Amino acid sequence: MSGRKRFFVREIDYPDVSEVVLDGEEFIHAKTVQRVEEGTEIILLDGSGKEYSAIVAKIFKHSLIAHITGAEDGWREPSAEIYLLCGALKGDKTELVVQKATELGAGRIGVFSSEYCSAFINSNKIERLNKVAREAAKQCMRSRAPEVVYFDKFADALNSAKDYKNKLFACEFAKQSQTDIIGINGSAALAVGSEGGFSEKEFALSQELGFSGITLGKRILRAETAAVALTALVSYALGELK
Ligand code: SAM
């Protein structure tokens, strides 16, 4: 299945329904970028984690019909549950974080506003970030993409991680880490600040909510570097990068 191009569709009800319509952006990508033709073998993804083998049956002006020939569970999905919470970043740096976190196995991504955050996020930006997650998922051959959600209130972002076994708070002013990342097991939620960093008040709130302060060393990393580095460290610790 490795060489076949992948496309997301809204929902698949296979084997009850074996004909699926691909339209919208995914159709445009299939037609103009991937140049699929009638007879091309493709893979369809519906976000369930399953991969559906399909053959392009008919191509129209704005859509195509694919005929599903089989289904199997995607084996590249992470078994670890990793949830990255990151401060909204300026420019397209949040997109970079979403792309890398998806490749590294994040299952959920939350973008938050905080006291020293100066980036502006609206619904278009969140839609764009979800598109970046889907593209990154297809590129690294995952069978689903992490959903990217936005939290206007920092406390809501932290509270959304309450059920995670490990809650790690990357704190640029922490003198030492309260948890050894390499020794963790079970689900993990990670919080990384925006360019402006975290306030003492935000760190105190994270402690109240069960987060462990984590230092990433004596240098102050760019927010996007810290987000990718911490996700990679946790992904490795949870056995994903081997
Ligand atoms: N404005 C802050 C300052 O000047 O100290 C820097 C914030 S840093 C650019 C953005 C985020 O990356 C921080 O909030 C933290 O989550 C993470 N970070 C960067 N360097 C770190 C370090 N050495 N240890 C832990 N977290 C770090």
Side-chain angles (χ1 to χ4, degrees), residues 29-186:
H29 187 240
K31 185 96 178 70
T32 55
V33 178
Q34 303 298 355
R35 300 210 175 281
V36 301
E37 298 166 344
E38 290 176 3
T40 304
E41 294 185 355
I42 58 175
I43 292 175
L44 296 175
L45 307 168
D46 63 351
S48 64
K50 278 200 176 303
E51 300 186 354
Y52 299 87
S53 308
I55 296 175
V56 176
K58 188 82 186 125
I59 297 184
F60 303 97
K61 197 156 182 281
H62 299 294
S63 66
L64 66 81
I65 291 181
H67 178 74
I68 295 178
T69 54
E72 60 183 13
D73 291 331
W75 59 275
R76 288 186 172 88
E77 275 309 296
S79 38
E81 275 184 83
I82 301 172
Y83 178 21
L84 173 64
L85 285 163
C86 59
L89 302 178
K90 291 178 199 147
D92 59 3
K93 289 185 284 187
T94 315
E95 292 183 22
L96 175 84
V97 169
V98 166
Q99 183 186 66
K100 300 312 168 199
T102 300
E103 292 172 61
L104 288 166
R108 274 176 86 190
I109 299 174
V111 177
F112 57 75
S113 183
S114 55
E115 203 171 332
Y116 301 146
C117 177
S118 51
F120 172 69
I121 291 271
N122 59 19
S123 53
N124 291 342
K125 264 221 140 173
I126 288 298
E127 204 175 303
R128 169 76 193 142
L129 291 172
N130 278 285
K131 183 164 184 257
V132 168
R134 285 194 297 275
E135 285 164 359
K138 288 196 280 188
Q139 178 277 327
C140 68
M141 304 182 86
R142 284 183 63 167
S143 37
R144 60 178 288 280
E147 186 189 6
V148 183
V149 296
Y150 175 62
F151 296 97
D152 201 26
K153 292 189 180 56
F154 182 60
D156 293 347
L158 293 186
N159 277 313
S160 72
K162 67 179 181 331
D163 298 333
Y164 283 76
K165 183 181 174 199
N166 301 281
K167 300 180 198 52
L168 309 176
F169 186 93
C171 181
E172 63 274 24
F173 44 81
K175 294 285 172 281
Q176 59 185 24
S177 294
Q178 293 171 313
T179 294
D180 172 12
I181 298 173
I182 297 303
I184 66 169
N185 57 63

Side-chain angles (χ1 to χ4, degrees), residues 170-172 191-198 214-217 219-223 226:
C171 181
E172 63 274 24
V192 181
S194 63
E195 290 96 343
F198 285 124
I214 297 290
T215 177
L216 292 172
R219 288 175 291 282
I220 296 295
L221 309 177
R222 286 177 183 273

